[in-house]
Every structure is written in C-alpha cells, then in structure tokens.
Amino acid sequence: MNHGSRSGAGLMVLSARWPKHVLGLWALLMMACVAVIALKAGTAFSTEVQRDDDSGSTRAQSLMRERFPDRPESDPFNEILVLRSATLTVDDAPFREQAQAIADRLMALAGEPIAGGVSYFLTADPSLVSADRHTTIVPLQVRDPIRDIDRIRRAASAGTGSSDLQVHLVGRASVGMEFKTLAEQDLRAELKIGLPVAMLVLLVVFATAVAALLPLIVGLAAIAGALAIAVLAGPRVHAYFLVTNMIVMMGLAVGIDYSLFMLSRYREERARGLSSSDALAASGRTAGRAIVFSGATVVLALLGLLIIPTNIFRSLAAGAILAVAVSMLASFTLLPALIALLGDRLDAGRIPWPRFATGGATWAGAGRLVTRWPVASVLVCVALLSGLAVPALGMRTGFSGIESLPERAGARQGFQLLEREFRSGAISEAIVVIDGAANSAPVTAAIARLRVALAADRAFVPDKARLQVNAAGTLAVLTVPMTGDAESEATQAGVRRLRGEHIASVFKDVSAHVFVAGNAAGYIDFFRLTDRYTPIVFGFVLSLSFVLLTVAFRSLVVPLKAILLNLLSVAAAYGLMVLVFQQGVGAALFGFQRVALIEAWIPLFLFTILYGLSMDYHVFLLSRIRERFEATGSNDEAVAAGMRSTTGVITGAALIMVAIFAGFASGELVMFQQVGFGLAVAVLLDATLVRSVLVPAAMILLGEKNWYLPGWLAWLPRW
C-alpha cells in the first residue's frame, strides 16, 4: 500500500472525525484569504515582462543600472494624451475649452500625479498638431505610471460623453493597464460561463443538488487560498498579472475534478455497504492515491516552467501549482469534513434522472467496440490525431500587442491616431547602450554615423533620438523612438536590422561593446529565450513524469505509452490552434480574432499544462485497471472493468474542464482565446479519442506486457 495513500486516507478519516473543527479552520482561512485579496490584489501584480538571462537587452539594462544609476529620464514624457475631434479643429474655441477642462481635471487630482506636460494651446508648437488640425497630442510626465495611470485615464475621459471629442491615453503604462483591465473582464466572463456549466454537469453526474455543490465549494476554496498566497508573494517576485486568471482557471478545473473523483468513489463504496468512515478511508486509499499521483504529475510538469528565467512563465507556473496544491489539500480535508457533517443528507435534493456516473449501456457498448477491434481503433485514432496535428508545422509565434486589443479599446485607438497623424514612437523605442570611451572621437563618430543610418530606416524616428553619457564617460545611451507597436513584426525587424546591420557596420572598427535594449528588443530576446529552454523543459517534464509513473504503476510500458499518447493529443491541440487562429478556419464561428501569430509563451505553457492535465485521466483510468488486474489477473477484464467504472465520471470531469476553459476563451484578449481554446480542445480530445479509445485499445493489444518491469527494478515498492 502507498504511504501517500495511507496518509491521504488517514487525513480524510481525521477530518471526518472532527468535521466542525476542520470546517471552522477552513472558514477562518477563507475569511483571511478574502481580506488579503480585497486589500492587496489591486497592486500585487506587474504588467512588466522581466527576464534574467545573458541576452543583449538584459546586459544593456544591467550596464545602465551599474554605471548610470542616477541616469535622468531620457524623455520626461512617459504618456501621451491624444485629443481628436471629427468636427472641430484646434483653432476652434470649443476644442480649446474642452481641452482646458481636461487639463483642469488632471491638475485637480490629489497627490499631483502629473509632474509636467506640453500642450499646443500653451506653446503653439506645430509638431503637437496633426496636418488636418483635428488632432493634438499632450505629452505628459507621470510621476508613478503604474500607480496613477488608471485615475489619470478616468479623469481625462470624464465629461466627454456628450461631445465628439475623443480622448485617449497612450503609453507603456496605459497600454499595460488596458490589458490588465481586459484580463479582469475576461475573468468575469470565464466565471459566468464556467460555473453554471460546471454545476449543470455535477447535477447530471450526482443526480442530487447537495452532492453537486460540494466540488464547487472545494474549487472556490482552492481559488481563494491560492490567490491569497499569490497576492502576498506577488510584489516580492514581480508576479505577472496573468497569474490571477491562471489561478481561477486551474483552481476551478482541478479543484472540482479532484473532489468529483473522490466523492464519486465515496458514494460507490457506500453503495457497497461500507460505513461512512470506512468508505472515506477506502476512497483515500484508491481515489486519493490517484489524486496524489495525478497532482504530482501536474506539479512536475509545471516545475519545468520555473526553469525559464522570466516572470511570465514563472508566474503562470507558480499560480497553477498553488491552485493544484490547495485543491489537493481541500480534497483531503474540507471535502471529507463536509461529507461527515452532511451524512445521509448528502443525497438530499435528488433529481429524477438516471445516474450518469455509473456508466451504463452506452459506455459498455463503447468498451465492447474497442475490445473487438483494437487494431482498427488505434489506427483510426492515431491517423485522426496526426491529421489534426499537421497544421502545427506552420505555427508562427510572437506577440500580438496593441493590435490584438479590441477596436473599442482607447489605447488602441489612440495609438492608431499617433501612428497615422504623427508617426510618433509613443510606445516603442530602441535603447542603444555603448560600453566604451563614450567621449572619444571614434565612439562619437560612430554614434553620428548610426544616426545617419537610422534616418534612412522607416522603423525609427532619429530626429527625436536622445543621447546621454554617464559622468565617468564610460557609457553612452542613445534612445531612439520607433514607429509602430513594439510587438509588431515591422518594429522587431527594425531592431534586428539595428543589431545585425547598422551597429555592426558603424561600430566595426570601434573599441566598444554595443547592446540594444527597449521593449521590442526585449521581445526578440524573449523569443530566443523560449526557443533555448523549450527542449530543456520538454526533457525535464518527460523524464520526471516517466519516473513518477514507473513508480506509480510498477511498469515501463504504461508510462512510455502514456507519454506518447499525451504528446499526440498536445500536437493535435497545437494544430487546431493554428487552423483556427492563424488560418481563420472557424474563427468567426467561435467569435475569435484571426491573427498572424500564436502568442510566444503559449505553446510551451500549453505543453506543460496539457501534459499534466491529460495525465489526470490516464492516472484515474489506469489506477482502476491496475486495481482490477491485481484482483483478477485478467488484462482484458481489467480494461473493461476500468472503463465501466470510470468512463462516466471522467467524461463528466472532462466536460467541466472544457466548460471552464471555454469560458476562458470567451474573453476579448486573443491570448486568453488561444489558451482557453487550446486547453478545451486538448481535454476534449483526450477524454474521448485518447482515454476512451486509444488507451484501452493499446492496453488490450499489449496484454500483460503492459505491466512489464525488469528484474533490476523489482525493488520498487507496491503502491
């Protein structure tokens, strides 16, 4: 018997013995978590991407921090207010009056968040007005953009609803805030879809209202606990803002699923005549064992992302790990306490429809079909999944950036006005850091030649470039605004030309080291970082999961087969993502944006999440098959019995996950659409083709070879 399963069973029995105490502790914990979230969540997470590697942009930033710690802001204006009227020009009094009213509101803000600004109405600077004179820009110096940008944006837009004056705030902080706001809106959309569908599926599975509520309670408790921990740790580790969405998605998915499996097994044991305490102990030894190994597999897969030195991957992985860990804790403590306290009232509110969880003729028929034609079943499913995976060969990754925001988004509209009317580098810039004798003739001449070269490159705005030299004269920083969005291919191509052509040419014979930073350069280096770590993460996840499953099932064949089948389902999910988002097949039907790129962080992130989650179903199914095989010694009978006893519940669990991920995909941010869609289709494929057909068919074909373990591994304990 597994020490972990004994511990899980013991914890469940202990929680059931003292249910009021356990529930009281959970109630206090939840109140504390809610208080932490309410008080600190607003400022806990960052919208800035951070990396810790040896790339050019990182080395440039390091040099500036080391040798230019008191470097003055190269451009004091870090946000731009864009004012546009379709009917009025800047020469009309109403335009001037409305602009003055906006200025008055901004200056009246408490704490004086704006340190300065430049306006056409004060300076008559023609560069601040568009050629048609219907648009003007007001560069602003915001003291603390991260803290103050939201109230500045609200103050600027107040009172413009009745006029045709468009007011947009554009800058790195305001664009980041736009993404964060939409992420919060998408989170609410996820809950509106995921929770009702999850409740409906649970009602179908359990056929009682009370039992159906318990997994939801566990899932919500998992979210609250994991989110509170993330909020407390967020400022210290610069957690990326997407961690919130990840915790909610994973907390609902695994929290509901784990408690669903545990509760289903408990009811099964009770139906066999066991007492409540004995049924809980038996559930802990069986379903609890599967939960432990399943959760461990998910965590191991996610640990691979922690290797990558960037806060995007680390935040997403840490958030998902927290959600899984708290879900497991709640399943072994909160759930049995609720079961013990409810007693026979667990079946209250019975709904008069057939019990879905016991399988039935449909699942038995499917099992007979697979048993009768295992070779055909394997060939058809492998061919279908392979065909779905083919489009993945054309996957292009990158960052969609501002253009992926909804057209109604103020930051996108303002940015488009800037690009069309002013060709202004309001969002992106290239920061050229020259490590050498900054005031020497060779370096100054090279900088002059670089300015000339950039003047002929439409990706840059060299007439607005700013040069700074540190006091020691050992570091020069040339900041060059760029046209376009930092995430766009055109802007990034400009940075590549800057690095590979312009700098290489003008600094060829100069004794200096030159690096390029800036947001576009950072994205390029992020792509390289991801490419470098992808094989490392794959190797880490696959090897550790192989070891874990070998220990869990005392077999070399079972983990190898599970890995191959999971990789096939992940590849099929990749192919469908490319088909829908890049090629646009069905995008309009689903309400998705068609884009040229898959977000750069998504493929590797999806691999770890999908690999871990798909192992859930393998572990639950294979645990029942192994349990039956050890009792009967018949492989075919064990496969059939495992399918009969798990298919209904696993299908219900999969439907819940699909609903939650579909809710995630229903938002407006294309990154969430891609993540939600990829997860939903992968789970659907895994729960139908892979788990219902491929796994049992392959196990029937292999027979007792499924449980092959060489003699030199006979020392492995029986779990």
Side-chain angles (χ1 to χ4, degrees):
M1 185 186 296
N2 177 350
H3 175 72
S5 65
R6 285 200 304 268
S7 301
L11 188 58
M12 292 181 67
V13 171
L14 187 64
S15 299
R17 187 175 299 165
W18 305 97
K20 292 183 179 179
H21 295 79
V22 173
L23 292 176
L25 287 174
W26 271 100
L28 291 174
L29 178 64
M30 289 301 99
M31 286 189 287
C33 289
V34 170
V36 167
I37 294 167
L39 293 173
K40 296 183 176 295
T43 58
F45 307 119
S46 171
T47 59
E48 294 291 323
V49 177
Q50 295 187 341
R51 290 173 293 106
D52 182 17
D53 58 7
D54 60 351
S55 64
S57 57
T58 301
R59 293 172 71 182
Q61 294 290 350
S62 178
L63 282 169
M64 287 189 287
R65 284 193 300 268
E66 176 187 338
R67 299 193 201 169
F68 220 151
D70 56 347
R71 171 177 168 245
E73 187 68 39
S74 58
D75 184 354
F77 304 119
N78 47 16
E79 291 287 329
I80 295 181
L81 193 65
V82 183
L83 307 178
R84 167 79 178 179
S85 173
T87 58
L88 301 173
T89 71
V90 294
D91 305 309
D92 295 323
F95 195 123
R96 182 185 299 271
E97 291 167 2
Q98 293 180 72
Q100 185 59 51
I102 293 172
D104 292 342
R105 287 196 298 272
L106 293 178
M107 296 307 295
L109 288 175
E112 299 181 353
I114 298 176
V118 178
S119 169
Y120 168 77
F121 301 110
L122 297 176
T123 65
D125 183 351
S127 67
L128 301 176
V129 179
S130 63
D132 65 3
R133 305 189 70 75
H134 285 276
T135 306
T136 184
I137 58 176
V138 183
L140 299 174
Q141 182 183 2
V142 181
R143 298 182 193 277
D144 189 341
I146 302 299
R147 184 192 65 190
D148 295 324
I149 200 64
D150 192 41
R151 63 193 189 115
I152 291 174
R153 183 174 58 177
R154 290 198 304 268
S157 301
T160 59
S162 59
S163 70
D164 74 342
L165 186 68
Q166 302 174 35
V167 181
H168 308 296
L169 197 61
V170 184
R172 293 187 65 179
S174 53
V175 170
M177 182 59 66
E178 193 86 58
F179 274 102
K180 190 175 181 181
T181 300
L182 284 170
E184 292 169 355
Q185 294 175 5
D186 288 355
L187 183 59
R188 289 191 288 271
E190 173 189 346
L191 294 174
K192 286 179 182 177
I193 294 176
L195 283 177
V197 176
M199 187 63 195
L200 178 61
V201 174
L202 289 169
L203 286 171
V204 172
V205 170
F206 290 118
T208 66
V210 174
L213 278 173
L214 265 56
L216 277 181
I217 294 172
V218 171
L220 293 174
I223 291 172
L227 191 55
I229 297 172
V231 166
L232 291 174
R236 296 173 177 81
V237 298
H238 302 288
Y240 199 57
F241 72 96
L242 296 182
V243 67
T244 301
N245 299 71
M246 188 50 50
I247 286 174
V248 171
M249 182 179 71
M250 290 296 292
L252 280 179
V254 299
I256 292 176
D257 270 15
Y258 290 166
S259 52
L260 168 61
F261 283 110
M262 188 76 80
L263 187 55
S264 297
R265 186 61 185 251
Y266 168 79
R267 297 180 85 196
E268 184 180 326
E269 298 296 340
R270 287 283 284 156
R272 290 176 50 211
L274 295 183
S275 66
S276 178
S277 60
D278 289 342
L280 280 171
S283 301
R285 291 191 301 268
T286 53
R289 170 187 179 276
I291 289 172
V292 168
F293 278 108
S294 174
T297 306
V298 177
V299 171
L300 281 178
L302 291 164
L303 285 177
L305 292 181
L306 296 180
I307 299 172
I308 308 175
T310 172
N311 66 331
I312 289 184
F313 285 119
R314 288 177 173 174
S315 298
L316 293 172
I321 288 172
L322 284 173
V324 171
V326 181
S327 295
M328 294 173 66
L329 177 63
S331 297
F332 283 107
T333 57
L334 176 60
L335 181 62
L338 288 169
I339 291 173
L341 196 64
L342 288 169
D344 292 335
R345 288 172 295 178
L346 187 65
D347 288 326
R350 181 167 294 279
I351 301 171
W353 56 46
R355 283 283 301 278
F356 180 81
T358 57
T362 301
W363 305 121
R368 286 194 297 270
L369 201 63
V370 172
T371 305
R372 179 178 250 180
W373 292 295
V375 175
S377 299
V378 169
L379 292 177
V380 170
C381 285
V382 169
L384 180 57
L385 290 172
S386 300
L388 292 175
V390 168
L393 298 174
M395 180 182 290
R396 296 178 63 243
T397 59
F399 284 99
S400 299
I402 295 176
E403 292 302 319
S404 69
L405 289 171
E407 292 186 2
R408 63 175 176 79
R412 176 176 177 174
Q413 295 177 15
F415 178 79
Q416 290 172 339
L417 281 170
L418 278 176
E419 290 301 298
R420 185 175 70 244
E421 304 291 349
F422 298 92
R423 191 174 172 261
S424 173
I427 301 297
S428 55
E429 59 186 14
I431 303 174
V432 182
V433 177
I434 302 104
D435 177 14
N439 294 319
S440 66
V443 171
T444 55
I447 293 174
R449 291 195 300 271
L450 181 60
R451 288 178 181 267
V452 173
L454 295 182
D457 193 323
R458 286 190 57 81
F460 301 90
V461 189
D463 57 318
K464 295 184 179 180
R466 303 169 297 277
L467 178 65
Q468 297 169 297
V469 178
N470 69 341
T474 59
L475 196 73
V477 179
L478 180 67
T479 304
V480 187
M482 299 188 68
T483 60
D485 182 357
E487 292 88 346
S488 70
E489 179 58 34
T491 303
Q492 291 171 18
V495 172
R496 293 189 185 97
R497 289 193 300 273
L498 174 62
R499 285 173 163 174
E501 298 175 19
H502 303 317
I503 290 176
S505 174
V506 302
F507 282 91
K508 181 172 57 176
D509 299 320
V510 178
S511 179
H513 297 287
V514 184
F515 307 101
V516 179
N519 41 2
Y523 289 135
I524 294 172
D525 293 337
F526 180 90
F527 303 152
R528 292 175 179 169
L529 182 73
T530 303
D531 292 341
R532 185 197 314 169
Y533 277 91
T534 293
I536 298 174
V537 172
F538 268 68
F540 178 88
V541 171
L542 296 179
S543 59
L544 283 186
S545 64
F546 181 84
V547 172
L548 179 66
L549 292 176
T550 298
V551 172
F553 294 105
R554 288 179 52 85
S555 167
L556 293 182
V557 176
V558 166
L560 181 61
K561 178 162 48 48
I563 286 171
L564 292 175
L565 294 181
N566 284 343
L567 288 176
L568 187 59
S569 64
V570 170
Y574 283 175
L576 286 170
M577 283 176 56
V578 171
L579 197 66
V580 171
F581 289 98
Q582 283 187 210
Q583 300 179 16
V585 178
L589 178 65
F590 293 113
F592 297 151
Q593 294 186 55
R594 180 180 180 180
V595 291
L597 304 166
I598 302 298
E599 294 291 311
W601 55 272
I602 288 178
L604 188 55
F605 168 74
L606 279 186
F607 162 72
T608 56
I609 291 289
L610 292 176
Y611 187 84
L613 291 180
S614 60
M615 278 298 184
D616 271 1
Y617 303 135
H618 281 83
V619 169
F620 282 114
L621 173 60
L622 293 174
S623 294
R624 293 303 290 266
I625 293 175
R626 177 75 183 181
E627 184 182 326
R628 189 67 176 176
F629 177 75
E630 291 181 343
T632 65
S634 171
N635 182 74
D636 288 4
E637 199 279 331
V639 172
M643 289 188 67
R644 284 195 305 271
S645 60
T646 63
T647 301
V649 175
I650 290 177
T651 301
L655 289 174
I656 290 171
M657 277 202 180
V658 169
I660 291 168
F661 297 149
F664 204 69
S666 66
E668 294 186 275
L669 288 179
V670 71
M671 68 178 79
F672 291 158
Q673 294 176 358
Q674 292 175 353
V675 169
F677 176 79
L679 289 171
V681 297
V683 168
L684 192 60
L685 290 173
D686 189 78
T688 53
L689 295 180
V690 177
R691 189 261 308 150
S692 296
V693 181
L694 271 176
V695 172
M699 295 199 74
I700 289 171
L701 287 175
L702 290 170
E704 294 191 6
K705 294 185 181 68
N706 284 300
W707 315 108
Y708 168 72
L709 188 73
W712 56 274
L713 287 176
W715 57 269
L716 288 175
R718 291 188 176 275
W719 296 88

